[in-house]
Every structure is written in C-alpha cells, then in structure tokens.
C-alpha cells in the first residue's frame, strides 16, 4: 500500500513508456518515486500498450537492425513529416540522445527483435519490442518495482497545487477517496486528451462523436489541462490529432493497431453518398497512412467505404473483421446501406477512366485514371471481378498534439517565459515540442524514452538537492 | 452499422467444435497484430496462413508449449473485450485433439475424466499384481528376504514379467502410432525429411519454445521464470534414463545372461537411480508450478489429466527407488508388486493421457521445421 502521508522525492503522473523511463531513471538517481496511473492495472500504460517499436539513430547495423540510420537521416525524416513544424535544437538533441537508448532500454529489461512480418520497410530504422508494447511495459514495471518505485493504479490526479513555477502537491482520486500527495518534484507523463470527447468536440464539433479512439478511455488529458491552467506554456496545435482510417466496426476505445486497414491503394474510397473524394493512389501507403483519418473526418457522418474486387483480396495484411462481400456492386451497396445507383455510377465512371498499365503496388506504378475527378494516380485497376468487397472506415484517433513546452532538460516552461522550478514533462504530453504535426513510426516512443529518462534524472537531482 | 466488436476476428469458416471456432477467431485477431511473432513457433506458423481449417488449428494447438508469454504480453487479453487468450484456448483445443486421435476410437472417452480413469486403472493394476503375487506365492516367499541374481523372479517368473510388460509396451506403441498417424493426416501429411526430424528433435530436446521468447515461462503472472523448463527437463530426461535402465537390463538378461537385481554400481541401477531422482523432482516441480499457475491460463476441465500423468510418473519413480533401497528386506515382495502395478498402468494408459502431448508436439515441430525452411527460402506464401 502506498503511504499517502509521505513526501516523495519524485511524483510521476502517468504509467506509460515515458512515465516508467522517468521513474526508473529517478530511482537510479537515488530518489524515492511514486507512479500514479489513472487506469486500472490491466490498462496501464496509455498508448504504450499499443506500440511496437522505437525509432533510434544508429551508425551501424545491429543484431536486429539491417543498416545504419544516421542522426542526419533521422532529422531529415522528422523535418519531412512535420513539414518543418519542430524545434530544431530540441529535435536534434533528442535524435542524438536516441542513440544510447538502444542500449539503455535493453538494460531496463526490454527485449528487442527484428521488424515484424509485413513491416520490412522499418527494418533498418525501427527497433521492435519482443512481444510488443505491453511486453515492454511489463519489463519496465518489473524493473521499476525492483528499484523500489511504488505504483498506484486507479489513481487519477484531479488537482495540482502549483505556485508560480513550483509544484507543491497533488490531489489524487482513488476508489477509496481523495488523497493529498506531496512531492519535491513532478514528472508529468500522462499523455494527451484523445479519449476526452468533450475536449475533442471543442475543436471538431459534433463530428467528434463519430471518432473512434485507438487507445484506452483513460487518456483524458486531465493533467495537461491542469498544467496549462496553472500557467505552463502550451505548445502544439490544440485543434489537431493524429487520425488514421480504421475499421468502422472497431470498438469505441482501445481497438489498437489491429483495426487498421492497409487496402486503400487497392480500390476506391467512397463516402455515404457513394461518391469518391480523394486520390487513393497519391503515394505509397505507409506515407499516406495518416491522411485518411482526417479525410474521412471531413466526410458526412465521418464514414467512408473502401471498395475493391476479388483480385485485390489477399494482397494486404489480414485484418480483424472480414470484408463485406457481394456478387455485384448493387448488392454490395445494399449491404453497406448505400444508394445502389450511385455506387454503380461511381464504379462505372472509375472503371471507364482507368488507363492500361502494369500493376505493381510496391512502387508508384503507371496504372492511373484519366479525365476523372479526383484522379487515382497509381494502382488504378478496374473494379470488375466479383465478388466485390468493402470495408467501412471511420477516423481512428491515435494521439493529440497539444502539450507543455519544455527545454532540453525536459523542464516545463511557464507562459511568462521562466523555467518551472520542479516540474518536468515527458512523452505525448510534450511531444508537440518536436512533433508539431505529422508522424513517423516509432517517434512517439523515442520522445517518451529520451525525455522520460532525462526528466527522471533531472527531477531526482532537483529533489535531492 | 452493426456492432461487431464482441465478435472481433470472427470468420466465416465452419469448424468441427466450438473451441476450434474460437481458436480460428483468435488466430484471425493475432494475424492482424503479430506482436508475438518473436515469442515462439505458433505465431510465425500462423502468419503463413490467412485462413485456418481444423487441421491447421490442431497443428497450431499442438505446436503451442503453453509458456503463457503471449497472454502476459497481449494488449487484448481479458478483460479487454477482444478476449484474446491464446494459451488457454489452444490448451483446450490440444486436449480435445488428443481424444479425437485416440486409437481405438472407443477409448477416446478416457480423456473426458482422465484423472479418475487413470486412478482407477492404476489402482486395479496394483491390486492385480498384489493379488497375483499373493495367489502364486506362499506367504514365506512373498514376505521373505531374497538376495542375489534372480531374486525378483522368485516372486514372479521372468518370462511372465517379460511377457506381460512386453505386451503392454507393444500395445502402447501401436495405439500411439495410430494416434500419431491420425494427427499427421489431420494436419495434411506434410512432406518432411531427416533434416526436419533432426531439427524438431533439437527443438524438443531443448524445449526451445518453452521459454517465452528467451526469458522463461509466464506462469503465475507477467514475471518470467525458467522453472517449468527445468522441471520438464528433469522429467523428460529422467524418463529417458529410466527407459535406458530397463533397456540395458533387458540386454544384460538376454545377451549376457545376467539376472536382476544388479549391484548398486552397475549401469541399470545407476541409470535408474539418476532417472528416478529426476522423475521425483521434475513432476513435483511441474505440479507445484501448475498449482501456482494464473487461473486464467488453465484449462480447469483437464486438471485431472495433467495431474494424473505427473502423479503416475512420480509414483513410478517413488516405488522404483523404494524397491531399490529396500530390495534386501522382507518389504521387497510387496514393493515389487506395487512398482510393477504402477509401471503397468503407466504403459497401458500412455496412449490415453498427457503422455501423448510429446508425440503430437514433436510432429508439429517437424512440420514447423519444414515451414521455417520455406520461410527462409522465400517459398512460403507470405514470407
């Protein structure tokens, strides 16, 4: 049982990768550490539960990485995906610090493995966790507990007593009532607000009600809100979230990675009026993965349907729910609740516009449409061989970009420009410092581990004077 | 939009039993995740398929060693609504497959209440040997001390002993071979050569896949330990040593004309003693691990089968070692009857109990060795 009357050196709020890296590094620095996780034990770890790899720079191939990935190349990738919306100094610092992470994370009991089947494109850049994100969490928790870190679950921080830039105490809501918790330093690693529909609605309006959340229902952004209200400087676009198109049959929360669909490039995507709305063949899939969530969010009722024919089934990763199949386009429309005439017209118009070419889904091939708006620039093949299939898709929200501003010590900065005295942030709650928009696989975990480790170390130094 | 979340992973494939339908559902879920592919053989084998027939599922079920790592690592395990529990589901499917392959079919019911069945057979067998000893021997012989070569055979003629145990052993071998054949047919008679058999033998001998991907089993919780592998090694190699002891003794008898009992320093006794100690510690350790195992991973309805086999091995060793220690005393007669009764029932129930897991798992490993080569050669569907 946690001793609520004790004054802890370091209070870590959150229970994912960033939080545990902070807790471990603070404990290794000699601090007494308490971790407060708002979720029950099974759901501990926020989005880390659903992760599978981390992107770290390295100068040579390793046991599990197929080749070097230099700091400069990492920086180029970050610059590209963020469109320049990043803090270059902080980002380059993080990239440099990502190098020793390959060793440091393994020293905390996490085991690496080569890239998983179907993810060969990440084999050189990303190190995968053996057993996935929950296995990684299990290892970090075991290590933290062996170092004397205490963990309380179902422990939601509902108030923070912050005086200027100094954290004093937190109010913790537990099943047995509220507790006041004092600590000499605070590490906020409690994620974003993607599961908070009230907050999402502030920016997205009623369409937000049709969003599906890929992580647990516990990512409510409560700590982020408390910090911003207490005068911590905000960073990142408050209106934006990372959204991908996922199977509309997925549960409202925590469907994780397995509800994703990789098949947009193999067919056409129509909205509830059975009308196409974007070029499905614009770019190779991994690069386009993240635009479809937002595209579908902009369609009526936030629903769309990926439609393809028999030859394409089997060309992409198997998915959780079976494709909806029918012998004709009209029958398929009926099963999807679409207007059969409209869907037939859309498919016929598309088929008529397809120019001959040699299909190759691994490159930007020469199969395209002509005279069609919007066009399909690559991989355009007529949809003509029954059975016909469809997957319904909705926006699946992964994470939000709004966060707390930090410096390279992971120390929060206050809105008045001063540095916080004893408050640090790590992980998704400060990801906006380096990731102003966009995403590339494994970056969230890099941000979490690098800044988690630093935040824990600095918090311990501060707390122990 | 209909709410399908409770049936996440449900496919349209028809299956012979509800547990195979559930296994299909889980493999569909797992195949869209693949985070566990580094943990063992089951997941790479799964990735070679997009749909799962009954034979495929029985193959995967028998390939699973039940280390539990994928359960501890799974973000979709209960209480998550996807309810992914691969170790337990495959354990049930595996146990049901034992019954389905049993030869003759009429005896497959022995798997249903296996603990009880084996307990009754063992009790009857022991009783029969004691009764036989009492009927054929005068009390002074039965309760007397016997020493020197041929001492055992004063209580039971060697030819009788060899005949009864030879027949029991032969029966077990034939019945298990028929079961193995049924399994091999069910999983599609994969082609396999000596290379695959050798590879599978290596995987089985080292329990390569009972290690949670390198750290050990997840037995009680998500903290890995290597206890089950250690105790399984003690059990398996203990059993082999005991078998070797009997084989050497048979050779002594027929080829060298040397009659049991043998002195303590002679090979059959050394092998049997070492094996017996392994068979005491190993099954006891496995039993202890079983009692501490996370209930979520356990197929409660097969508890009897699991326990019965371990207890039979333990009793075989216990009675054998007791016989060794007390063979020069008047207790020898009854102990010999007891030991022979236990060993006899172990043999005749072998095809109808947990023993067969080794057989089917070995064959599954043979098939996996072939698939692994296909993955390496790039001749597999999704490599």
């Amino acid at each position: 049982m946690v001793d609520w009357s004790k004054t802890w050196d370091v209070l870590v709020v959150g229970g994912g990768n960033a939080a545990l890296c902070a807790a471990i590094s603070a404990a290794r620095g000699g601090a007494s550490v308490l971790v407060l996780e708002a979720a029950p034990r099974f759901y501990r770890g926020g989005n880390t539960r659903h992760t599978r790899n981390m992107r770290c720079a390295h100068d040579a191939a390793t046991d599990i990485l197929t080749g070097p990935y230099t700091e400069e190349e990492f920086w180029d990738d970050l610059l590209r995906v963020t469109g320049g919306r990043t803090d270059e100094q902080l980002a380059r610092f993080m990239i440099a610090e990502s190098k020793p992470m390959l060793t440091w994370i393994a020293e905390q009991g996490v085991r690496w493995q080569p890239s998983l089947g179907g993810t060969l494109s990440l084999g050189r850049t990303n190190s995968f966790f053996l057993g996935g994100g929950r296995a990684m969490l299990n290892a970090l928790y075991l290590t933290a507990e062996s170092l004397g870190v205490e963990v309380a679950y179902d422990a939601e921080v509902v108030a923070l007593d912050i005086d200027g830039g100094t954290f004093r105490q937190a109010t913790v809501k537990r099943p047995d009532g509220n507790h006041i918790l004092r600590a000499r330093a605070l590490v906020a690693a409690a994620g974003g607000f993607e599961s908070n529909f009230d907050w999402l609605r502030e920016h997205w309006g009623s369409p937000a009600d049709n969003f599906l959340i890929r992580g647990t229902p516990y990512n409510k952004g409560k700590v982020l809100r408390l910090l911003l209200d207490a005068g911590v400087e905000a960073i990142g676009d408050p209106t934006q979230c990372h959204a991908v198109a996922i199977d509309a049959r997925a549960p409202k929360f925590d469907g994780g990675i397995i509800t994703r669909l990789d098949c947009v490039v193999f067919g056409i995507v129509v909205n509830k009026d059975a009308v196409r709305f974007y070029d499905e063949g614009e770019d190779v899939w991994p690069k386009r993965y993240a635009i479809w969530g937002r595209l579908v969010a902009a369609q009526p009722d936030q629903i769309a349907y990926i439609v393809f024919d028999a030859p394409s089934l089997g060309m992409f990763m198997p998915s959780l729910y079976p494709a909806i199949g029918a012998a004709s386009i009209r029958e398929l429309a009926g099963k999807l609740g679409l207007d059969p005439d409209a869907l037939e017209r859309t498919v016929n118009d598309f088929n008529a516009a397809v120019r001959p070419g040699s299909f190759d889904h691994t490159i930007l091939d020469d199969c395209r449409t002509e005279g069609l708006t919007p066009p399909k620039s690559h991989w355009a093949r007529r949809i003509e061989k029954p059975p016909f299939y469809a997957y319904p898709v909705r926006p699946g929200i992964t994470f939000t970009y709004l966060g707390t501003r930090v410096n390279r010590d992971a120390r929060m900065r206050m809105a008045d420009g001063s540095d916080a005295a004893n408050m640090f942030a790590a992980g998704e709650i400060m990801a906006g410092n380096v990731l102003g928009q966009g995403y590339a696989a494994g970056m969230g975990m890099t941000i979490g581990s690098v800044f988690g480790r630093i935040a824990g170390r600095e918090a311990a130094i501060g707390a122990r004077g | 939009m209909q709410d399908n979340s409770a049936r996440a992973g449900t496919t349209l494939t028809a299956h012979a039993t509800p547990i195979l339908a559930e296994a299909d559902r889980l493999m569909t879920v797992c195949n869209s995740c693949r985070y566990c592919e580094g943990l063992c053989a089951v997941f790479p084998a799964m990735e070679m398929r997009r749909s799962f027939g009954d034979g495929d599922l029985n193959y995967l079920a028998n390939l699973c060693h039940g280390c539990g790592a994928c359960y501890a690592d799974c973000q979709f395990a209960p209480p998550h609504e996807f309810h992914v529990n691969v170790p337990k589901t495959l354990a049930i499917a595996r146990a049901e497959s034992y019954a389905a392959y049993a030869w003759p079919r009429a005896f497959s019911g022995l798997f249903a209440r296996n603990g009880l069945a084996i307990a009754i057979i063992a009790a009857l067998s022991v009783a029969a040997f004691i009764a036989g000893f009492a009927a054929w021997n005068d009390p002074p012989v039965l309760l007397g001390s016997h020493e020197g070569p041929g001492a055992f055979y004063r209580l039971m003629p060697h030819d009788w002993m060899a005949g009864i145990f030879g027949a029991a052993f032969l029966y077990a071998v034939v019945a298990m071979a028929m079961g193995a054949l049924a399994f091999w047919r069910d999983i599609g008679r994969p082609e396999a050569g000596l290379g695959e058999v050798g590879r599978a033998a290596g995987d089985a001998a080292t329990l390569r896949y009972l290690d949670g991907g390198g750290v050990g089993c997840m037995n009680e919780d998500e903290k890995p330990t290597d206890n089950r592998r250690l105790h399984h090694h003690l059990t398996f190699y203990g059993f082999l040593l005991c078998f070797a002891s009997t084989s050497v003794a048979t050779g002594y008898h027929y080829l060298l004309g040397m009659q049991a009992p043998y002195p303590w320093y002679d090979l059959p006794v050394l092998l049997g003693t070492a094996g017996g100690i392994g068979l005491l510690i190993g099954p006891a350790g496995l039993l202890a691990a079983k009692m501490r195992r996370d209930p979520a991973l356990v197929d409660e309805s097969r508890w009897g089968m699991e326990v019965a086999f371990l207890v039979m091995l333990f009793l075989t060793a216990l009675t054998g070692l007791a016989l060794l220690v007390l063979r020069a005393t008047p207790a020898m007669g009854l102990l010999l009857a007891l030991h022979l009764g236990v060993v006899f029932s172990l043999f005749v129930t072998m095809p109808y109990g947990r023993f067969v897991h080794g057989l089917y798992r070995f064959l599954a490993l043979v098939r996996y060795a072939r698939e692994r080569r296909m993955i390496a050669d790039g001749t597999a569907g999704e490599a």
Side-chain angles (χ1 to χ4, degrees), chain A residues 41-44 49-52 111 113 116-117 130-131 134-135 138 251 254-255 257-258 260 316-318 320 322, chain B residues 9-10 29 32-35 37-38 50 71-77 79-82 212-215 222-223:
Chain A
R41 192 176 191 280
F42 173 78
Y43 286 102
R44 70 186 181 186
R49 280 167 56 70
H50 294 291
T51 63
R52 54 182 184 176
R111 295 173 295 149
Q113 69 164 41
L116 298 176
L130 184 64
R134 192 169 166 226
N138 289 343
D254 215 43
I257 196 167
I258 64 178
R260 74 191 180 294
F316 46 89
M317 270 279 286
L320 185 59
Chain B
T10 304
V29 173
S32 57
C33 173
R34 303 187 169 188
Y35 285 13
E37 75 172 29
R50 291 184 76 96
Y71 180 80
D73 291 353
C74 181
Q75 64 272 38
F76 305 117
H80 194 284
E81 64 193 280
F82 291 166
V215 286
E222 73 273 3
K223 196 178 294 184

Side-chain angles (χ1 to χ4, degrees), chain A residues 167-188:
Chain A
F167 164 77
R168 307 271 183 217
Q169 60 186 30
T171 307
V172 187
K173 190 175 149 198
R174 300 217 67 211
D176 63 350
N178 283 7
H179 299 273
I180 301 292
L181 200 285
R182 276 174 296 277
R184 295 181 188 90
L186 171 73
V187 176

Side-chain angles (χ1 to χ4, degrees), chain A residues 29 53 75 81 122 126 170 242 270 293 327 347 379 400 403 423 425 448:
Chain A
N53 62 52
W75 165 246
V81 298
L122 299 173
N126 289 40
H242 180 266
V270 301
V347 171
W379 314 297
T400 50
M423 302 196 295

Side-chain angles (χ1 to χ4, degrees), chain A residues 266-285:
Chain A
F266 295 101
I268 58 172
V269 183
V270 301
N271 62 17
K272 66 174 274 201
D273 301 322
V275 172
R276 291 176 61 246
F277 52 89
Y278 198 82
D279 182 351
E280 301 90 349
E282 189 181 53
D283 206 342
V284 288
W285 182 241

Side-chain angles (χ1 to χ4, degrees), chain B residues 2-249:
Chain B
Q2 79 263 36
D3 174 28
N4 266 9
S5 57
R7 294 186 290 118
T10 304
T11 67
L12 304 172
T13 314
H15 293 287
T17 63
I19 200 66
L20 290 174
E22 173 66 0
D24 181 12
R25 185 186 77 85
L26 294 192
M27 289 298 98
T28 304
V29 173
C30 295
N31 214 8
S32 57
C33 173
R34 303 187 169 188
Y35 285 13
C36 290
E37 75 172 29
L39 295 179
C40 69
V42 171
F43 298 99
M46 167 197 80
E47 287 180 20
M48 298 181 72
R49 298 162 170 78
R50 291 184 76 96
S51 61
F52 303 91
D54 287 353
D56 294 321
L57 294 165
N58 284 327
Y59 159 57
L60 295 173
N62 280 287
L63 197 53
C64 168
H65 289 46
C67 79
C70 65
Y71 180 80
D73 291 353
C74 181
Q75 64 272 38
F76 305 117
H80 194 284
E81 64 193 280
F82 291 166
H83 216 269
V84 175
N85 188 338
V86 174
K88 179 170 181 170
T89 304
L90 294 189
I92 299 172
R94 194 157 61 233
E96 290 190 3
S97 80
Y98 302 160
Y101 304 133
W103 183 91
R105 276 301 299 234
F107 286 174
S108 67
L110 287 173
F111 279 98
R113 303 186 68 188
N114 194 253
L116 183 67
I118 287 184
I120 291 173
I121 292 169
L124 288 176
S125 166
V126 168
F129 272 91
I130 292 176
F133 274 36
W136 265 277
N137 297 301
D138 293 330
V141 179
L142 182 59
L143 301 173
S145 298
H146 306 272
E147 282 183 71
F152 296 144
Y153 310 126
R154 268 165 241 150
L155 291 154
M156 184 175 188
H158 176 268
D159 291 349
W160 277 83
M161 209 187 278
I164 287 173
F165 282 88
F169 181 67
L170 199 64
Y171 175 78
V173 168
V174 170
M176 288 191 293
M178 295 303 285
L181 200 60
F183 176 61
W184 198 245
R185 275 199 208 107
D186 191 26
I187 65 173
R189 300 175 196 265
E191 287 172 40
L194 268 181
E196 279 87 10
V197 171
R199 184 116 208 190
D203 291 344
T206 55
L207 293 176
R208 175 174 170 152
Y209 299 113
L210 192 66
D211 73 345
V215 286
C217 283
M218 316 285 161
N219 196 49
E220 298 107 273
D221 50 29
E222 73 273 3
K223 196 178 294 184
T225 79
D226 232 353
N227 282 343
R228 286 177 69 213
R229 185 149 64 153
L230 171 69
H231 289 126
H232 192 288
H233 278 325
L234 287 169
T235 306
F236 177 67
Y237 291 105
F239 183 84
L240 284 190
L241 286 172
C242 290
F243 192 76
S245 159
T246 307
S247 304
V248 170

Side-chain angles (χ1 to χ4, degrees), chain A residues 55-70:
Chain A
R55 185 180 290 255
C56 296
H58 48 277
D59 293 325
T62 71
D63 293 353
I64 53 126
L65 291 160
T66 57
Y69 183 55
T70 62

